Amino acid sequence: MFPICYWNCASGLVRKFPIIRDHILSIKPQLFFVSESEIMQSRSTKPFSIDGYSFETSQTLETRGKSRISCWSTSNYQRIKELENEHNEIMVFKEKSTDILIAGVYHPFKCFENETIRSNFERLLQNLAEIENYSRAGLIILGDFNVNYNSVMGCPLRFKLEDFCVEKNLDQIVDFITRSRKVADTLQTSTLDLVITNLGGIKVEGSFNSESDHMILEVSKILFEKANEKSVIKRVHYLDWRHYTPERAKLLFQNYFRGINIHLWDCDMINERITTALCLMLNDLVPKRSTNLRSPKAVINAKIQNLKNKKSRAYKKWSRSNQVEDWEALKSISRDLNKAIKIERKKGFVNKLGSDPKTYWNAINEIMGKTGRDKISLQVGDNKVTDSQTIANIFSDHFASKLENLNSMSNPDNFIIPNLDGGDPVVGIGDPHPANLFFSREDITAGIKHLKRSKAQGHDEIPGMVIKDLADVLVDPLCWLFNRIISGGKIPRSWKTSVISPIYKKGEKTKVENFRPVCNISSLSKVYEKCIMNMLQKLFEFDDLMGKHQHAYRAGSSTITACLTLQDYVSCNLDEGNQILAYSTDLSSAFDILRPNILVGNLLELKVPKQIVRTIFDFLSNRLSYVKVEQSVSYIKNVPYGCVQGSVLGPYLFNIYMRHLPNVIESTSPEAFVIAYADDAYVALPAKRDNLNLKKDQLELTFAHHINWLKSIGMVCNANKTDFLIFGCPGPPCSMIVGEDRIRSKDTINVLGLTFEKSLKWGPHVNNVIKKANSVNYSLRMLNTILPRSLHRQVIHAHFISNLVYGSPVWAGCLNIRDVKRIDKVFYKTLRLHCFDFERKLSNYELCMKSNIRSFVSLRLVNDAIMLQRLCRNPNNTDLTIRLILQSFLISRHPDRLHFFDLSQKRIGRTSFINRSKRISELIPFPAWSDMESLAFKKKIKERIPLYMRTQ
């Protein structure tokens, strides 16, 4: 019965009939609908005849003197006029052998007298409902409904059409742009031409023709399956956001919210009132809906399969004859096959891209190899488990048993928690009156503002977007709730339940151990955590809470500043003739085995107010969790310890938990250097060449003491992933013995994604950078002919350049000319791909200008300047900024410019970022840059530094 075609030819088929005739004769469709055909009653239909086809028009030709939809049909089809409303532009055919109904529809914007667009559309839907009730074997509806189905906000007509599809259990299967029109200097795109069906295995393809701004839709059956063959049906649940607006949400919330009596002190009841009003409002505005998704068996395209069979026959013929003409025929078929596969892949990519940014980037990430949350299937023994309920329970058992094993491997100190309810409300700091710790409306507003709209919601299913939209009406109830929590020291019970999502990490996707748990918690809980964190930051300096060694979650610091600090320390010591013994530690599930009682000890030692300590302890204690896979959930389990991954306060508390690390290292090695980023720690010890063995013994003692301390606080160090390296040692590898483990030294060590080499050269890191850059080249090539240049450039920046320049302030300025040229070779190869310069006619300068992408040298200078300005503006990073201040000065001739000088004496020391500050500052072409706002400086430096700079 297939293929079936539909085309909005745009204002009359008289002039476009030759195009239609050629198309029909080339693909030989069973039906070919043409809308906007504009056939008048006075016109003869004989000029539109095609051999083997009957030409017919809609019944409006007789009732209103004009038909706007026509159709060519073969003898396999019978027209069912009794199902057609004579006032609608609709034609209905029945396939004689299968009884499947095919309806061609056109919904015009121009209405007849005494009717509106809405009434016209409702009459059409009533007609389609009658057709659907009549159909028994199946139904396919093709047409231009003049409803943009890919519009995010949509319109009332689209809502009615979607409701009709849901009610009648129909699927709209066109997911690509079907109309494209240039208006002024912009390109307007939309999905107006739709295919709606209740059959499985239906495939829709589109091709543009220059005579119309609409695509010609071609509907086919994959591998021409039998129409009544059952397909796989999956029930999908989703939230319908079409009718949601912030204004309506506020109004409904205020209607449902009963208010809070000042005598209501129970935080659970207060939270329940707020949550209930939010849920009732969401039930009205964002109802849950469900639909059936049909997907046939995965089969290959019919055209490709035919070419494969043809190639197989041609190969057999050539292998028997060994004739030149048979070889040429085989090559020709192979070329056709490769071309067909390429076209099919391109169509698949285009269909996946979608129209909204989230769908677009999900498709791009999948094509680039960064897959999201795919359907999970696990291998348990010899059995493959696909049931989501069973998988959720398997993950729940695995995560629980993993924590039990880690707990048995550590020996935490049993810190006895003092009575947090007795004595002074505040321990040792400030005014002891508890009113000092109450939240204001401004504090609550700041906490709500921190929420991210795109984050997943907790088990209460209240999205952060809704909390942000209702900030004006929620601030007073939340202020009362949060202050009650502070005064009572108890968190609402519903906030202490976490929804765990298994996220694929690495390795085989069928093994449960290759997934890590990520928690989703209540959005209101996240607001409260942010308010607590802001309060702690007001009461304490960062270094007092977490130590100078910690670079994670502090303003102005990042993985790059941590690497710069380590590089500066190592290079300066190598300049002085020292060797550096360094090791890194890897903790197993560090956040999951944090002990709340030990954390309370650290908080009380810091003299944190008791009200805050009580709420933090209650937040971490007696928690519940369950695993959710698709729509299935596991049984609920108790979580006796751990810091909630995915929470706002969790990383902050973990840093406080680990704050004693420098003191532990200093107790055995006072001269040791310590740096950390969250749970990643790096320890270095300087040594002279003549006492290297003595220092190695000292480092072994330090490492053993380090591991014992980790065990005492419940942490477990993974010795197999511990790296040991001696900077500046040209000799053969040596080893460090800790307990029963022997750790051999390496030539490189990975520090937060950067590869440090023992002589502080960057050749190994350049090898890794080039390897990562080349890994995405094939995907960029596939997307090259699909995406517009602006979108392709975004993908290059997101997946290629981001990997190429990560950490460039640390290593890019230290490269020799050979390594820079190696990077340039990979860089300009991608730019030639982007500019379609396959014959290498453009110079490097022309490539940068045409693509509007900076050269590698220009990118390095921009990143160096931004990092220098960030260090000058943020004094929090003590180790780096003190060195920077010591090596800076002002001169009277240029009072508004900051100057630097180089203290290094040898080549290695000059590779430090601090010692390169003089060269970097000289390239910043405007004064007073150190006092500028970061965004303004970033914008200005990009304007001043040219796109292309030649490799020196």
Side-chain angles (χ1 to χ4, degrees), residues 257-267 270 273 476-477 480-481 483-484 487:
F257 184 56
R258 295 185 295 159
I260 300 175
N261 191 311
I262 60 172
H263 300 294
L264 185 61
W265 290 94
D266 187 85
C267 63
I270 300 172
R273 285 196 180 184
D476 289 326
W480 181 262
L481 172 61
N483 286 329
R484 179 60 198 135
S487 59

Side-chain angles (χ1 to χ4, degrees), residues 426-429 437 532-546 602-609 612-613 652 656:
V426 180
V427 180
I429 67 165
L437 300 178
I532 288 290
M533 193 169 78
N534 291 341
M535 181 179 289
L536 287 173
Q537 290 174 343
K538 290 178 182 178
L539 295 175
F540 299 93
E541 294 292 335
F542 187 94
D543 289 345
D544 294 334
L545 284 176
M546 306 182 188
N602 287 348
L603 293 173
L604 293 177
E605 180 184 315
L606 288 166
K607 298 183 179 180
V608 174
I612 299 178
V613 177
Y652 202 76
I656 297 175

Side-chain angles (χ1 to χ4, degrees), residues 148 150-156 158-159 162 241-245:
N148 186 5
N150 273 347
S151 173
V152 176
M153 295 305 296
C155 63
R158 179 196 167 189
F159 299 154
E162 285 184 339
W241 288 88
R242 294 175 298 174
H243 306 290
Y244 173 85
T245 61

Side-chain angles (χ1 to χ4, degrees), residues 47-272:
F48 306 116
S49 62
I50 299 176
D51 292 340
Y53 289 85
S54 300
F55 179 74
E56 300 183 68
T57 60
S58 64
Q59 294 193 50
T60 55
L61 184 66
E62 300 173 0
T63 59
R64 300 190 175 183
K66 181 180 180 181
S67 171
R68 304 202 70 188
I69 185 168
S70 307
C71 181
W72 283 267
S73 62
T74 64
S75 59
N76 297 329
Y77 283 82
Q78 173 188 355
R79 187 168 178 190
I80 314 296
K81 285 192 174 183
E82 58 267 24
L83 293 178
E84 300 174 3
N85 187 309
E86 60 185 9
H87 299 296
N88 291 332
E89 297 294 347
I90 186 170
M91 302 179 71
V92 183
F93 292 85
K94 182 176 74 171
E95 212 275 336
K96 294 179 181 179
S97 60
T98 62
D99 290 338
I100 292 177
L101 294 184
I102 293 93
V105 174
Y106 177 66
H107 170 245
F109 272 129
K110 293 182 179 180
C111 301
F112 298 103
E113 295 180 0
N114 301 323
E115 70 174 4
T116 62
I117 293 177
R118 180 171 296 186
S119 63
N120 187 348
F121 193 79
E122 289 176 349
R123 187 181 65 237
L124 175 62
L125 292 184
Q126 290 174 0
N127 196 169
L128 293 177
E130 295 172 1
I131 296 171
E132 194 276 333
N133 293 333
Y134 182 87
S135 65
R136 294 294 180 266
L139 173 65
I140 300 175
I141 303 171
L142 307 90
D144 179 2
F145 287 80
N146 271 312
V147 173
N148 186 5
Y149 216 81
N150 273 347
S151 173
V152 176
M153 295 305 296
C155 63
L157 298 186
R158 179 196 167 189
F159 299 154
K160 289 182 176 295
L161 183 58
E162 285 184 339
D163 293 339
F164 169 79
C165 292
V166 172
E167 180 184 353
K168 298 298 181 181
N169 201 16
L170 298 168
D171 297 326
Q172 197 288 111
I173 59 177
V174 176
D175 55 359
F176 53 88
I177 292 170
T178 61
R179 175 183 174 271
S180 180
R181 173 182 293 176
K182 189 174 182 181
V183 179
D185 293 328
T186 62
L187 188 66
Q188 294 182 356
T189 60
S190 54
T191 303
L192 301 183
D193 308 284
L194 309 177
V195 177
I196 300 170
T197 182
N198 55 12
L199 295 174
I202 298 297
K203 179 180 178 182
V204 183
E205 296 177 348
S207 59
F208 271 114
N209 189 287
S210 59
E211 295 296 325
S212 174
D213 53 1
H214 289 257
M215 269 191 170
I216 300 177
L217 297 186
E218 181 180 327
V219 181
S220 59
K221 189 82 168 177
I222 298 178
L223 272 189
F224 303 98
E225 297 171 335
K226 295 180 180 179
N228 57 359
E229 181 177 337
K230 292 184 178 180
S231 58
V232 179
I233 299 177
K234 179 183 177 183
R235 195 73 175 171
V236 176
H237 304 272
Y238 65 97
L239 296 176
D240 187 356
W241 288 88
R242 294 175 298 174
H243 306 290
Y244 173 85
T245 61
E247 293 75 19
R248 296 182 67 185
K250 289 179 183 178
L251 181 61
L252 276 178
F253 175 79
Q254 289 172 330
N255 290 340
Y256 283 124
F257 184 56
R258 295 185 295 159
I260 300 175
N261 191 311
I262 60 172
H263 300 294
L264 185 61
W265 290 94
D266 187 85
C267 63
D268 285 300
M269 296 183 65
I270 300 172
N271 178 65
E272 184 179 353

